[in-house]
């Protein structure tokens, strides 16, 4: 299978053009309704073969529902797709080459780790794979113990071992880092990288971008069942323009400057952290001189002026259309709160 | 092929020591209790008794050996139904079904193979019950001075064999009801509750209110099967009617299982 060059943002039209075979997963207009609620809304995915693709979205975005449709567990309401070159309807054919951990690991608590895997292995004639995959995730020594004695991290690893049973071309891991400490998350990331190094395609979901972003070459971001972004991490960063960060001698003047900047048609976001007020101006450093002149004309002294490139997290929230971090307005909004009171700074 | 694989996969779960002790222990307990109570409660042979009263003289015949087993049909059925419902409903409750279906996406074959495994486990339980029953009956015969000469004859063995067969059929019927409820209700607890409520209190209320319905109630029919035919229905009639019922609900469960989204 060929890894497609996804130089540009993959738009729905591109998805339809991508021939099956170049991507491990392609969907077109994939939709799932539960009664009146639309859980997945006309999703067009294109997951490059051989990539580690992060599948990111807040709780309830529709990640698990999408994954269940790809695995033949749920019937799409409408839309179509291909997995490993086979149409979604032929899931019985392609699932032999797919390993999955869906919505966290689930096992029989009184059975040992090995027996839990054996239940699955016997279904597909894969007995010989049980010990190798246990070894692979570092559980061989605890394989005889009942799963109810396992820690959460061990359960996640057993779930990954189960997914590895068929030596899969496509690994679908739904929230494998859920509930893990930073050390455990780093360990999962290392595993993901090693799976990709073996030539597998990895589709890994998380509601926290930061947990998986380091290893993902490709990202799919969904919200409310809809595709918000699809492309490489570099493209995600590029999706948000750089900003000028401006501070003046006091809060009052900063707010006044914000109004002046908006008066000339630029965006200026006000960020308050305690008494300090900072502006984020929608411009790059080429506009810094003009900004400085505007301030001087108004008798405002700028004490800090610098360009800042957005972090991945900011780019992510910009795309999601909301920024839950404290002290932040709605990202991408134009000039919020410039007229609002509350500035307590005194000159 | 997948049916065989599903059969052997299910046995990994069935060979849990807890389940063995739990299930076989419960069944042995039921049979011992029934046998002890039956033989202890038998009227001594002297004197006149109302028709149908079990006497020690009756017990000393060839069929006396398996008398307790015959009496424990409903209780064994209840245990079988519960185990089967727990085994199938548990896949939904535990959320482990989705893992099975990714490895074995042919849902009908998966469920048939798993179901056959559960049935084989329960047939084993009936054989255990028969062995336990023999022990309990022999012990009780000593206590009550029942003449056991006829118990070691060929006809005693034949009658025991037949009863084990009838009982196995009946237990399989109860188990199929349990599995169907597990699959349709998608929860072990709800399935066990619904199954026991339906077959025990609800049926006895219906049949005592309208006695003529007894010939058609599944629980009564399964009990008739266990006894090799009863006042309500002959063995043949019970076999035909339960087969039709079970075929119907199995088709229903298969359709539900293969068509519904897996959401747990
Ligand atoms: N079986 C179901 N019946 C009704 N609604 C459902 C069902 N499964 C999911 N939903 C709804 O579909 C939406 C998407 O849910 P889904 O589990 O796919 O989200 P998710 O992105 O996996 O979230 P999380 O990060 O919390 O796991 C939610 O609004 C959820 O309530
Ligand atoms: Mg989810």
């Amino acid at each position: 299978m060929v890894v497609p060059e996804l130089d540009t943002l993959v738009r729905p039209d591109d998805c339809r053009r991508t021939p099956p075979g170049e991507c491990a997963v392609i969907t077109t207009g994939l939709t799932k309704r539960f009664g009146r609620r639309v859980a997945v809304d006309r999703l067009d995915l294109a997951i490059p073969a051989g990539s580690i693709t992060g599948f990111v979205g807040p709780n309830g975005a529709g990640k698990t529902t999408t994954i269940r449709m790809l695995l033949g567990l749920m019937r799409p309401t409408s839309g179509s797709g291909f997995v490993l070159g086979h149409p979604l309807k032929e899931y019985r054919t392609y699932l032999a080459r797919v390993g999955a951990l869906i919505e966290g690991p689930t096992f029989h608590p009184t059975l040992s780790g090995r027996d839990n895997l054996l239940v699955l292995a016997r279904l597909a004639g894969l007995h010989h794979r049980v010990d190798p995959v246990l070894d692979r995730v570092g559980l061989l020594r605890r394989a005889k113990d009942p799963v109810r004695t396992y820690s959460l991290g061990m359960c996640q690893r057993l779930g990954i071992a189960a997914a590895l049973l068929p030596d899969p071309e496509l690994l679908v891991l739904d929230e494998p880092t859920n509930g893990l400490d930073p050390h455990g998350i780093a360990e999962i990331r290392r595993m993901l990288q090693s799976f990709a190094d073996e030539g597998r395609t990895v589709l890994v979901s998380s509601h926290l971008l930061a947990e998986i972003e380091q290893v993902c070459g490709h990202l799919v971001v969904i919200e409310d069942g809809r595709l918000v972004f699809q492309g490489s991490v570099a493209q995600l960063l590029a999706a948000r323009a750089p900003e000028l960060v401006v501070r003046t001698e006091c809060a009052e003047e900063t707010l006044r400057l914000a109004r002046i900047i908006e008066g000339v048609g630029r965006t200026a976001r006000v960020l308050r952290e305690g008494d300090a007020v900072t502006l984020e101006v929608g411009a790059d450093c080429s506009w810094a001189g003009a900004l400085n002149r505007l301030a001087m004309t108004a008798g405002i002294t700028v004490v800090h002026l610098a360009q800042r490139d957005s972090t991945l997290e900011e780019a992510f929230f910009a795309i999601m259309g909301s920024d839950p971090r404290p002290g932040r307005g709605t990202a991408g909004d134009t000039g919020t709160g410039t007229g609002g009171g509350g500035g307590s700074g005194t000159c | 092929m997948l049916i065989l694989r599903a059969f052997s996969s299910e046995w990994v779960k069935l060979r849990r020591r807890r389940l063995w002790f739990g299930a076989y222990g419960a069944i042995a307990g039921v049979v011992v209790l029934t046998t002890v109570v039956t033989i202890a409660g038998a009227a001594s042979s002297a004197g006149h008794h109302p028709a149908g009263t079990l006497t020690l003289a009756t017990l000393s015949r060839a069929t006396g050996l398996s008398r307790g087993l015959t009496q424990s049909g409903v209780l064994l059925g209840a245990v079988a139904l519960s185990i089967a419902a727990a085994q199938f409903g548990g896949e939904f409750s535990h959320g482990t079904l989705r893992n099975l279906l990714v490895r074995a996406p042919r849902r009908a074959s998966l469920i048939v193979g798993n179901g056959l495994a559960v049935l084989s486990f329960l047939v084993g339980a009936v054989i255990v019950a028969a062995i336990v029953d023999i022990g309990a009956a022999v012990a009780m015969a000593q206590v009550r001075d029942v003449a056991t000469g006829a118990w070691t004859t060929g006809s005693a063995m034949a009658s025991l064999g037949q009863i084990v067969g009838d009982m196995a059929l009946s237990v399989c019927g109860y188990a199929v009801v349990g599995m169907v409820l597990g699959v349709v209700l998608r929860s072990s607890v709800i399935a066990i509750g619904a199954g026991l409520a339906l077959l025990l209190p609800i049926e006895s209320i219906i049949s005592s209110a309208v006695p003529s319905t007894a010939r058609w109630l599944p629980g009564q029919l399964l009990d008739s099967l266990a006894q090799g035919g009863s006042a309500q229905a002959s063995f043949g009639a019970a076999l035909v009617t339960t087969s039709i019922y079970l075929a119907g609900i199995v088709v229903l469960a298969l359709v539900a299982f293969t068509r519904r989204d897996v959401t747990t």
Side-chain angles (χ1 to χ4, degrees):
Chain A
M1 231 168 261
V2 188
V3 183
E5 286 290 321
L6 288 173
D7 285 340
T8 51
L9 259 172
V10 180
R11 298 282 176 209
D13 285 349
D14 301 332
C15 291
R16 278 187 208 102
R17 280 203 301 271
T18 314
E22 288 199 344
C23 284
V25 177
I26 297 174
T27 69
T28 311
L30 194 64
T31 301
K32 182 69 187 179
R33 278 200 196 88
F34 297 107
R36 243 189 270 150
R37 185 187 300 130
V38 184
V40 175
D41 194 0
R42 289 161 289 166
L43 203 56
D44 297 315
L45 293 178
I47 313 252
S51 71
I52 303 182
T53 295
F55 190 24
V56 190
N59 290 128
K63 304 179 295 290
T64 302
T65 306
T66 304
I67 287 172
R68 281 178 188 268
M69 287 192 280
L70 297 179
L71 298 173
L73 296 172
M74 279 183 177
R75 217 181 289 259
T77 308
S78 59
S80 59
F82 288 86
V83 174
L84 300 175
H86 293 273
L88 283 186
K89 283 200 179 80
E90 292 175 14
Y91 62 88
R92 292 180 193 84
T93 314
Y94 64 71
L95 279 182
R97 293 150 65 201
V98 179
L101 164 64
I102 309 146
E103 225 173 10
T106 48
F107 294 106
H108 295 281
T110 54
L111 281 186
S112 69
R114 179 181 280 117
D115 276 352
N116 266 292
L117 292 193
L118 197 57
V119 170
L120 300 171
R122 281 197 177 178
L123 283 178
L126 296 167
H127 326 46
H128 58 284
R129 293 275 304 155
V130 171
D131 277 2
V133 297
L134 280 168
D135 193 25
R136 179 73 193 268
V137 300
L139 279 178
L140 204 48
R141 271 188 31 232
R142 294 289 304 271
K144 273 192 200 146
D145 297 349
V147 165
R148 79 184 128 79
T149 67
Y150 284 14
S151 70
L152 186 59
M154 292 167 73
C155 283
Q156 294 283 20
R157 281 187 279 149
L158 188 62
I160 293 174
L164 286 173
L165 275 174
D167 195 8
E169 278 168 56
L170 171 64
L171 255 177
V172 182
L173 304 174
D174 191 10
E175 312 252 7
T177 52
N178 209 3
L180 298 188
D181 61 13
H183 176 78
I185 292 170
E187 196 177 306
I188 301 279
R189 275 199 300 259
R190 272 196 299 279
M191 271 190 210
L192 296 182
Q193 188 59 61
S194 67
F195 299 147
D197 293 344
E198 293 160 358
R200 306 179 206 274
T201 306
V202 183
L203 175 62
V204 54
S205 88
S206 176
H207 55 272
L208 292 174
L209 175 68
E211 288 185 349
I212 52 170
E213 147 266 304
Q214 295 169 29
V215 288
C216 293
H218 194 76
L219 280 176
V220 174
V221 182
I222 65 169
E223 193 181 19
D224 279 339
R226 264 181 291 245
L227 184 66
V228 180
F229 171 82
Q230 180 161 224
S232 67
V233 172
Q235 286 161 359
L236 179 65
L237 285 172
R240 193 164 182 222
E243 285 167 336
L244 290 175
V245 179
V246 186
R247 270 194 295 276
T248 68
E249 283 179 320
C250 72
E252 211 168 88
E253 293 198 337
T254 309
L255 294 174
R256 197 152 61 84
L257 182 59
R259 281 193 292 274
I260 293 168
I261 290 167
E262 288 190 323
V264 299
R266 295 278 175 172
T267 64
R269 283 197 307 157
V270 179
L271 305 179
R272 288 194 176 83
E273 270 166 51
D275 284 351
V277 178
T278 309
L279 286 187
E280 281 180 0
V281 179
D284 62 17
C285 55
S286 67
W287 199 65
L291 189 150
N292 218 347
R293 274 192 299 279
L294 279 175
M296 270 161 60
T297 313
I300 299 169
T301 311
V302 171
V303 297
H304 177 90
L305 179 59
Q307 178 181 319
R308 190 187 55 188
D309 296 318
S310 55
T311 64
L312 192 68
E313 201 186 15
E314 284 171 325
F316 177 68
F317 285 121
I319 278 170
M320 305 279 284
S322 65
D323 191 339
R325 289 167 300 169
R328 304 279 165 149
T330 301
D333 234 349
T334 51
T336 50
T338 46
S344 57
T346 46
C347 292
Chain B
M1 187 64 182
L2 177 55
I3 291 182
L4 278 180
R5 284 176 168 173
F7 182 92
S8 87
S9 156
E10 182 72 20
W11 261 102
V12 178
K13 288 185 274 160
L14 290 167
R15 70 187 186 193
R16 269 175 297 174
R17 214 175 283 161
R18 270 167 172 245
L19 184 63
W20 278 74
F21 286 131
Y24 284 25
I27 283 168
V30 163
V31 171
V32 168
L33 193 72
T34 324
T35 305
V36 167
V37 169
T38 306
I39 300 183
S44 55
S45 309
H48 291 285
H49 305 286
T53 306
L54 181 66
T55 62
L56 293 181
T58 323
L59 276 177
S60 63
R61 293 194 202 129
T63 53
L65 176 62
S66 43
R67 190 75 194 206
L69 192 59
T70 321
Q71 302 290 313
S72 44
V74 176
L75 282 170
L76 283 189
V79 173
L81 183 145
S82 304
I83 291 170
Q87 210 64 17
F88 269 44
E91 285 298 331
F92 292 88
S93 305
H94 279 127
T96 40
L97 179 67
R98 55 180 188 254
N99 305 336
L100 297 182
L101 287 177
V102 170
R103 288 284 61 85
R106 287 168 208 283
R107 296 188 187 182
S109 307
L110 173 72
I111 196 177
V112 169
N114 286 355
L116 291 175
V118 171
L119 295 186
S120 68
F121 175 85
L122 291 171
V123 168
V126 172
I127 292 167
V128 170
I131 294 166
V132 170
D133 172 66
I134 294 171
V138 168
M140 279 308 287
Q142 304 298 313
V143 175
R144 296 230 44 204
D145 274 336
V146 178
T148 55
W151 288 10
T152 47
T153 59
S155 74
M157 291 302 123
S159 129
L160 182 68
Q162 192 184 351
I163 282 162
V164 168
D166 295 347
M167 195 68 84
L169 264 182
S170 160
V171 156
C172 287
Y174 280 104
V176 169
V177 173
M179 289 188 272
V180 166
L181 286 171
V183 167
V184 173
L185 300 175
R186 297 187 274 196
S187 149
S188 46
V189 177
I190 298 175
I192 293 172
L196 295 185
L198 180 74
L199 293 186
L200 305 172
I202 296 180
E203 274 206 9
S204 41
I205 291 166
I206 296 175
S207 65
S208 56
V210 191
S212 60
T213 55
R215 193 245 170 278
W216 303 104
L217 293 172
Q220 306 273 332
L221 289 170
L222 286 169
D223 193 32
S224 301
L225 269 190
Q227 295 178 30
S230 68
Q232 281 85 31
S234 70
F235 181 79
L239 189 62
V240 170
T241 318
T242 45
S243 301
I244 293 170
Y245 283 171
L246 293 181
I249 61 171
V250 164
V251 168
L252 183 90
L254 278 175
V255 170
F257 186 62
T258 50
R259 296 186 156 253
R260 284 201 297 205
D261 284 344
V262 177
T263 56
T264 55

